[in-house]
């Protein structure tokens, strides 16, 4: 609650001149005193009521000098829970105590269909050459090593070699920074994921950026020395593994 005090002070200032803000973390309450008349207090109450702060709904009431902005939810009266009007529409989603914007929450509500057995999905076309996997593994491993070393050495001038994640890779292709993409061949069927992976495939085709699908999620994670599953990696800078990169580009440029 203390973390939101500055934000509340800024909001409170929109209704009038604030003379004091007191925070009671134990009671989860904030007392705001205004300099002006009761009209200002009433305006502040109306403004704060039903506002979401810190992931909770504000209940604002007036006292002798201001408003008692109680963020306890639901409202408790004589140890019995009152009925609280349930807003229409989908239930809000939170990450910790932060409200997830509805445009992202909508995507998260889409049922996720796990890829049973980790089978290769239809979007993935593998290269019919057994030398491709070792080339990819050597290239990704070396570029990740160099990238980590640059971070440890605090080398601010070092260009980022790899980016990860559907959104970051799509952004990198769009800005002409990503030169090659390695996408896991067994991504789960999931509304937002399918939409984003298709966006990457379409962007890569438009920008002539090759995509390799030789690894599943777990193997792709291991290729860069991680124990977690990785969905997609974009290569922005091949310095340190240019020979492997050059050979992979030659595979991508082969006809058929």
């Amino acid at each position: 609650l203390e973390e939101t005090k500055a934000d509340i002070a800024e909001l409170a200032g929109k209704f009038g001149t604030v003379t004091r803000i007191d925070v009671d973390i134990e009671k989860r309450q904030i007392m705001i005193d205004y300099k002006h008349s009761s009209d200002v207090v009433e305006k502040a109450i109306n403004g704060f009521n039903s506002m979401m702060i810190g992931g909770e709904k504000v209940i604002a009431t007036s006292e002798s000098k201001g408003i008692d902005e109680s963020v306890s939810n639901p409202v408790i009266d004589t140890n019995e829970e009152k009925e609280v009007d349930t807003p229409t529409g989908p239930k809000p989603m939170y990450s910790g105590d932060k409200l997830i914007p509805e445009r992202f929450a909508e995507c998260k509500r889409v049922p996720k269909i796990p890829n049973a057995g980790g089978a290769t999905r239809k979007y993935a076309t593998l290269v019919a050459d057994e030398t491709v996997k070792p080339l990819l593994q050597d290239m990704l491993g070396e570029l990740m090593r160099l990238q980590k070393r640059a971070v440890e050495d605090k080398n601010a001038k070092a260009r980022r070699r790899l980016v990860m994640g559907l959104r970051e890779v799509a952004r990198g292709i769009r800005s002409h920074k990503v030169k090659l993409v390695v996408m896991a061949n067994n991504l789960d069927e999931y509304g937002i994921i399918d939409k984003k992976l298709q966006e990457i495939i379409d962007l890569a085709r438009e920008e002539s950026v090759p995509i390799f699908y030789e690894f599943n999620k777990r193997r792709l994670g291991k290729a860069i020395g991680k124990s977690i599953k990785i969905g997609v990696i974009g290569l922005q800078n091949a310095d340190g593994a240019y020979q492997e990169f050059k050979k992979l580009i030659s595979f991508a440029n082969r006809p058929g």
Side-chain angles (χ1 to χ4, degrees):
L1 189 59
E2 185 69 51
E3 294 176 357
T4 64
K5 186 176 178 180
D7 293 335
I8 293 171
E10 184 178 349
L11 289 169
K14 295 179 180 180
F15 305 113
T17 302
V18 177
T19 58
R20 185 185 63 169
I21 297 181
D22 288 333
V23 177
D24 189 327
I25 295 177
E26 186 176 339
K27 293 182 178 180
R28 300 185 67 75
Q29 291 182 339
I30 295 178
M31 178 73 73
I32 303 174
D33 285 352
Y34 281 94
K35 181 178 180 180
H36 299 296
S37 66
S38 58
D39 291 341
V40 173
V41 174
E42 185 176 354
K43 186 178 178 182
I45 291 172
N46 292 334
F48 274 111
N49 255 329
S50 299
M51 187 181 291
M52 297 295 296
I53 296 178
E56 300 185 72
K57 188 176 180 180
V58 171
I59 307 297
T61 58
S62 65
E63 291 197 348
S64 57
K65 292 185 179 180
I67 64 171
D68 172 17
E69 190 223 342
S70 170
V71 292
S72 55
N73 190 16
V75 180
I76 304 297
D77 183 29
T78 63
N79 294 322
E80 291 184 4
E81 188 173 325
K82 290 183 178 181
E83 289 188 7
V84 179
D85 292 337
T86 303
T88 58
K91 184 178 179 181
M93 296 183 72
Y94 298 92
S95 176
D97 64 348
K98 294 183 178 179
L99 179 67
I100 298 174
E102 181 56 31
R103 66 183 183 278
F104 298 125
E106 184 179 2
C107 297
K108 285 181 170 289
R109 295 189 190 98
V110 178
K112 183 177 181 180
I113 305 173
N115 185 354
T120 299
R121 289 186 57 192
K122 291 181 180 179
Y123 65 80
T125 303
L126 307 184
V127 179
D129 193 304
E130 61 184 14
T131 63
V132 171
K133 272 190 179 181
L135 281 171
L136 283 168
Q137 189 139 357
D138 290 346
M139 181 188 72
L140 292 173
E142 180 63 11
L143 292 178
M144 191 64 186
R145 184 187 71 80
L146 293 170
Q147 183 160 298
K148 287 173 67 176
R149 190 178 72 179
V151 172
E152 290 166 359
D153 293 344
K154 297 180 181 180
N155 185 354
K157 293 183 179 180
R159 291 172 57 198
R160 194 175 181 185
R161 288 172 166 83
L162 302 175
V163 292
M164 282 160 267
L166 294 164
R167 190 176 302 171
E168 285 296 316
V169 172
R171 185 182 293 124
I173 299 172
R174 198 177 288 111
S175 61
H176 310 291
K177 292 180 180 179
V178 165
K179 310 296 188 239
L180 180 147
V181 173
V182 186
M183 181 182 288
N185 56 35
N186 66 333
L187 292 176
D188 295 331
E189 294 183 49
Y190 187 27
I192 187 62
I193 292 179
D194 278 352
K195 183 178 179 181
K196 210 69 184 176
L197 76 83
Q198 189 58 52
E199 180 187 356
I200 289 174
I201 292 170
D202 292 343
L203 283 169
R205 187 181 295 116
E206 292 170 11
E207 300 295 333
S208 299
V209 174
I211 304 182
F212 291 89
Y213 305 95
E214 311 311 306
F215 301 114
N216 60 28
K217 291 181 292 184
R218 188 171 298 281
R219 292 286 183 184
L220 188 53
K222 285 184 177 180
I224 57 172
K226 293 186 178 293
S227 59
I228 60 173
K229 297 177 181 179
I230 300 292
V232 62
I233 297 174
L235 184 152
Q236 292 190 162
N237 176 12
D239 288 351
Y242 186 74
Q243 290 304 315
E244 291 87 347
F245 170 73
K246 190 176 178 180
K247 289 177 183 178
L248 288 165
I249 292 296
S250 71
F251 280 113
N253 291 335
R254 285 181 181 178

